[in-house]
Amino acid sequence: GSNEVITVASASDSVVLPNAPTGSVVFVVNAGANSMQVFASGSDTINGTAGATGIAVANAKRIMFVKADTTQWYSILTA
């Protein structure tokens, strides 16, 4: 799946990764003016970080998430 977030009015704006099967790939594009947060659903983690904590994605950045197993997402962030 792919998600482009166009309006990020504040740093508290966020998206949640779907409850997806292993092997799923999700792209998130932050086309807004501020940093945003990406959370994992349920007990999933992102790069070993609790899904409820999430990770920040700066404005003008693109990030790809890959579901490595039943509860772990890994991310690749653009430079």
Side-chain angles (χ1 to χ4, degrees):
S2 178
N3 299 285
E4 180 175 10
V5 182
I6 296 172
T7 302
V8 183
S10 71
S12 62
D13 288 348
S14 63
V15 296
V16 178
L17 295 173
N19 183 7
T22 299
S24 295
V25 176
V26 175
F27 294 94
V28 175
V29 177
N30 181 355
N34 295 293
S35 179
M36 61 178 283
Q37 200 76 358
V38 178
F39 297 101
S41 63
S43 61
D44 286 0
T45 61
I46 303 172
N47 301 333
T49 300
T53 301
I55 62 169
V57 179
N59 67 310
K61 294 292 183 183
R62 292 159 180 80
I63 189 166
M64 178 177 74
F65 296 92
V66 179
K67 186 83 178 264
D69 60 36
T70 57
T71 61
Q72 177 64 56
W73 289 93
Y74 288 105
S75 65
I76 301 168
L77 180 66
T78 61

